Amino acid sequence: MTTVIDFIKKLRPNIKDKTLKNYVSSYNVCFKYFKDSDYLTKPKDVIKFYKERYPKITTRKTNLHAQALLSRAYNHLGSEKIFLKEAKKIEESLKKEKEKLLVEAINLPHDPPDHIKYIESPNKVISNFDLVKQLFSEQEQLVNKFYNDKKKTFTIKELKEISKLAIMALNASSFFEADLYKAQNPPRRLEYRFLKFHEGRLLKKNNNPDTNYLHKPNKKINIYKFIFNKYKAKAFSSHGVQKLTINSKLYKILKMYLRTHNKLFIENGLLFPQNMYNTNEQKLYDDSQWSKKIKSYFTISQNDIRKAFITKTYSQPTLPPTIVLKALASKMGHSLNTALSEYRKTPKQI
């Protein structure tokens, strides 16, 4: 018997597991509510149901796209058009709202007048900026107590502390840069879990599109770069493959990590795999596992780290030209609109 999963995979053979799970959930919710799979022939009723069930329009948009795909799978092409049309309305509404926020944020004076209050206290977010710096500095001091370049052997406990410092540095090194607007390595999402190390020329045939690289182009020159082939699909469609030079603090720590861990990497292996310190198979962290690791190190989530960095950056007395803001957003793997509307805490008039 052909299942709804089979229908979806037939139309989207490369669909991600998380997206597939969401689409199946969307189908099950409607099937349970309308008590029949024929609900797909009644798109207007489904849209009405969604407006009541999902006040958040981004959630509604995702479910509408799911129903459009399901309609095509079950050959209800008229319903597919109606679902897509409704989803497009929401997308246009979101676009207008982001453009409005962009204009307001850029034109906003540094010190808002008394009649402007904050949706969420910016002091809480700014304190997260200081928290990230403090926790990172504490870890750096801990490692510096036992590490030196002449030392050749390290205990497993010491190696784990160096690994922790390296992962923290991936997220926090730019918190220490003098000009946050021009930060070289601001915090990204979860794409560092795909990192592999490559020294020398990275030929096209060796450049795996499902892998991100810590790349040392020349063995004799101490320059490291990140090559991001794999990150959020929507952002990748705008920015493509990204190559970022590494700042001095991060360079120093990653060099330490490579020196102490090079014998633990399997050939062409991940830089930060699961099971590095035991005999089990080295595996990639999934999104949830990597997120939990980051939170265990900083006590706040990856999103909160990104939010803290952006909010602190945009609280500087003078905003630079838009081209600088766009460059920073690109390095973080998102758009300027996203930075202003989803991460930066903007004020609201009341």
Side-chain angles (χ1 to χ4, degrees), residues 242-293:
Q242 292 184 301
K243 297 180 181 181
L244 303 181
T245 302
I246 294 175
N247 65 51
S248 57
K249 181 177 281 290
L250 184 54
Y251 162 78
K252 177 183 175 183
I253 292 170
L254 288 178
K255 187 177 178 182
M256 177 202 306
Y257 179 77
L258 290 170
R259 175 181 174 266
T260 55
H261 285 72
N262 61 349
K263 292 181 180 179
L264 296 173
F265 301 139
I266 60 174
E267 187 177 356
N268 297 320
L270 296 161
L271 271 183
F272 301 102
Q274 297 185 63
N275 304 322
M276 175 170 274
Y277 305 104
N278 57 44
T279 57
N280 296 330
E281 180 185 359
Q282 293 188 12
K283 297 189 299 184
L284 175 73
Y285 282 97
D286 64 26
D287 283 2
S288 176
Q289 293 166 330
W290 190 256
S291 295
K292 287 178 181 177
K293 179 178 281 289

Side-chain angles (χ1 to χ4, degrees), residues 16-217:
K16 293 182 178 179
D17 290 341
K18 185 177 179 181
T19 305
L20 177 62
K21 185 178 179 180
N22 290 338
Y23 279 26
V24 172
S25 174
S26 184
Y27 173 84
N28 289 337
V29 166
C30 285
F31 186 89
K32 184 177 180 180
Y33 180 81
F34 291 100
K35 298 180 173 56
D36 197 332
S37 62
D38 280 348
Y39 77 83
L40 288 167
T41 64
K42 306 167 186 174
K44 291 183 180 179
D45 291 343
V46 176
I47 291 169
K48 182 180 178 182
F49 165 62
Y50 276 171
K51 286 180 179 178
E52 295 171 354
R53 183 180 177 89
Y54 302 118
K56 189 176 179 181
I57 59 174
T58 50
T59 305
R60 200 185 311 159
K61 176 173 73 76
T62 300
N63 281 276
L64 287 167
H65 278 295
Q67 296 302 335
L69 183 70
L70 290 163
S71 296
R72 181 151 44 106
Y74 285 91
N75 205 29
H76 299 306
L77 302 185
S79 296
E80 179 191 15
K81 289 181 180 178
I82 293 173
F83 285 129
L84 289 176
K85 184 177 180 181
E86 185 69 18
K88 188 174 181 180
K89 285 183 185 177
I90 293 175
E91 287 165 1
E92 290 173 350
S93 173
L94 289 169
K95 184 179 179 182
K96 288 179 182 178
E97 182 63 24
K98 285 187 175 183
E99 288 172 349
K100 181 181 176 183
L101 284 170
L102 175 60
V103 172
E104 288 178 351
I106 289 178
N107 293 332
L108 184 74
H110 177 59
D111 296 315
D114 293 338
H115 67 281
I116 291 183
K117 305 297 180 184
Y118 282 88
I119 298 171
E120 179 179 330
S121 169
N123 294 329
K124 180 181 178 183
V125 183
I126 295 295
S127 70
N128 281 348
F129 184 92
D130 294 332
L131 174 67
V132 169
K133 291 185 70 174
Q134 177 185 327
L135 292 175
F136 173 82
S137 295
E138 289 172 358
Q139 184 64 20
E140 190 174 30
Q141 289 169 14
L142 186 155
V143 170
N144 286 339
K145 286 180 181 179
F146 65 78
Y147 178 84
N148 66 71
D149 289 334
K150 294 181 180 179
K151 186 175 179 178
K152 293 183 178 181
T153 58
F154 298 86
T155 65
I156 294 296
K157 183 178 179 181
E158 288 173 336
L159 290 174
K160 287 182 177 180
E161 295 295 353
I162 293 171
S163 175
K164 178 179 178 179
L165 177 63
I167 293 172
M168 293 180 78
L170 293 172
N171 292 279
S173 64
S174 278
F175 281 61
F176 296 84
E177 292 193 44
D179 188 345
L180 296 180
Y181 286 120
K182 296 180 180 179
Q184 289 178 278
N185 309 111
R188 295 177 69 95
R189 291 187 178 89
L190 306 172
E191 48 263 37
Y192 285 117
R193 63 195 180 92
F194 299 111
L195 272 184
K196 293 183 179 181
F197 178 65
H198 184 90
E199 190 172 52
R201 292 182 63 194
L202 184 60
L203 301 177
K204 189 174 182 181
K205 65 179 181 179
N206 298 326
N207 189 349
N208 186 340
D210 288 326
T211 299
N212 295 328
Y213 293 94
L214 173 61
H215 184 209
K216 187 178 182 183

